Amino acid sequence: MKYIKLGNSELNVSRICMGCMGFGDAERGQHSWTLDEQRSREIIKHGLSVGINFFDTAAAYQSGTSEQYLGRALKDFAKRDEVVVATKFLPRTKEEIQAGITGRQHIERMVDLSIKNLGLDYIDLYIYHMWDYNTPLFDIMDGLDRAVKAGKVRYIGFSNYSAWEACDMMWTAKSNGFVVPKVAQNVYNLITRGADDEFAYFLRKYKVGFVIYNPLAGGLLTGKHSRNHIAEGSRFNSKMYQDRYFNDKNFDAIDILKGIAEEAGMTLVELATRWCLSNDFVDSIMMGFSKLSQ
């Protein structure tokens, strides 16, 4: 396993990050294909044994059970200072807005909830899951700054932001003396290349670490799916993933990429993974695992 400093932070992470969205109680969230705790623990333990030290989860994954499974496994199988734990939080709910809960109060609640779920004293990397259209950015950055200064969070980041949104967040932090985000997390793979344009320039200019998710396009780049067949137990049984990737244009690309992989003497998974890691603005790639063989 190779390791890298994440952006200009002091986080030394494996270039493969274990994405934990596939772990959690299947009865308590939007996904029905998640693994139970025993199977999740087996994969986390094996990941640690092959050098993965970077784990990403979220409070929203299966009503917090993903965080709980991960936290208990790491407590049993790893030393706290040898792993890097990232988790994410969503914007305020309609109910919180109606109740007058501010953005700062919401972040305080969510940090405390994730720390409780994970069973940790602090979170290494705390990520805003998506852009918030209903909360002043000042309030968000104030809340994140307070979480860091309280010792509950080491570094902050953002996920699913455009380049202008990321710059807005950076400017708001710097102009108000708040901690600045150190890490970005966006979708990026051989067939979803949006980060190649403005976002890559932003990452390089501000030395922000980049962790990508869906490096295998939700499993499409494994080659196990076809236009007329979805492999059993796949996340492609979810409409969200079908809408994101399942189209003729992408399958045309897969047909070409399979030929390139074969000519290079590697599998399609190897080609997609190596390509992602070869980009100079990519620090770590987040991969989900449902079997030890993966």
Side-chain angles (χ1 to χ4, degrees):
M1 183 65 66
K2 294 182 179 180
Y3 301 86
I4 193 170
K5 287 289 185 183
L6 197 49
N8 63 356
S9 76
E10 291 301 313
L11 298 174
N12 191 43
V13 301
S14 51
R15 297 210 69 197
I16 303 295
C17 169
M18 183 174 289
C20 300
M21 187 175 72
F23 305 152
D25 187 340
E27 302 296 323
R28 296 184 57 190
Q30 68 181 121
H31 303 303
S32 60
W33 40 264
T34 54
L35 303 184
D36 62 27
E37 185 160 11
Q38 181 56 40
R39 292 166 68 197
S40 300
R41 286 170 63 86
E42 291 171 358
I43 290 173
I44 294 166
K45 183 178 182 180
H46 186 65
L48 288 163
S49 74
V50 297
I52 293 175
N53 77 335
F54 188 19
F55 299 84
D56 176 274
T57 183
Y61 293 165
Q62 303 305 104
S63 301
T65 57
S66 172
E67 288 183 324
Q68 292 165 15
Y69 290 6
L70 175 63
R72 288 194 285 262
L74 292 180
K75 181 179 180 181
D76 290 342
F77 303 136
K79 295 179 180 179
R80 178 65 185 96
D81 61 355
E82 294 179 353
V83 293
V84 174
V85 178
T87 193
K88 303 181 286 293
F89 69 103
L90 290 169
R92 292 181 298 166
T93 64
K94 292 180 180 178
E95 292 75 19
E96 285 180 308
I97 293 173
Q98 291 171 354
I101 303 298
T102 67
R104 179 173 61 80
Q105 290 170 324
H106 170 70
I107 289 172
E108 184 176 7
R109 286 181 170 191
M110 295 305 295
V111 169
D112 289 343
L113 175 62
S114 287
I115 284 175
K116 179 181 178 181
N117 282 341
L118 289 162
L120 301 176
D121 293 328
Y122 63 89
I123 297 164
D124 295 292
L125 177 59
Y126 200 48
I127 297 171
Y128 210 178
H129 213 146
M130 59 187 63
W131 184 257
D132 188 343
Y133 292 93
N134 298 304
T135 306
L137 192 51
F138 177 92
D139 293 353
I140 293 169
M141 300 313 298
D142 183 26
L144 290 170
D145 184 73
R146 290 169 185 261
V148 173
K149 289 177 178 175
K152 297 178 181 180
V153 171
R154 292 180 65 193
Y155 296 99
I156 64 170
F158 52 86
S159 179
N160 302 309
Y161 277 32
S162 66
W164 78 262
E165 290 167 338
C167 285
D168 197 5
M169 191 179 194
M170 188 74 73
W171 182 87
T172 301
K174 288 186 174 183
S175 61
N176 289 284
F178 297 145
V179 293
V180 299
K182 299 286 188 179
V183 179
Q185 185 184 101
N186 275 9
V187 62
Y188 187 64
N189 54 59
L190 265 171
I191 56 177
T192 306
R193 303 279 296 275
D196 284 340
D197 300 321
E198 290 185 340
F199 203 77
Y201 180 79
F202 161 81
L203 294 167
R204 292 187 182 105
K205 179 174 177 61
Y206 292 102
K207 296 181 174 60
V208 172
F210 192 34
V211 181
I212 64 173
Y213 68 87
N214 280 186
L216 299 180
L220 200 68
L221 285 165
T222 63
K224 64 183 179 182
H225 306 288
S226 70
R227 288 173 170 84
N228 303 312
H229 174 73
I230 298 174
E232 186 178 352
S234 166
R235 65 183 63 186
F236 278 111
N237 289 302
S238 160
K239 185 177 184 300
M240 177 179 73
Y241 280 92
Q242 289 182 26
D243 290 345
R244 184 182 295 174
Y245 293 117
F246 236 70
N247 58 63
D248 285 336
K249 180 180 178 182
N250 283 345
F251 277 109
D252 289 343
I254 295 295
D255 291 340
I256 296 170
L257 292 168
K258 283 181 178 178
I260 294 172
E262 184 176 353
E263 186 176 340
M266 62 180 73
T267 66
L268 183 57
V269 170
E270 288 175 312
L271 176 69
T273 303
R274 287 170 181 257
W275 181 86
C276 287
L277 289 171
S278 71
N279 285 275
D280 67 349
F281 56 87
V282 173
D283 292 315
S284 183
I285 65 174
M286 189 188 309
M287 303 189 76
F289 305 96
S290 59
K291 301 174 184 176
L292 288 178
S293 60
Q294 294 173 337

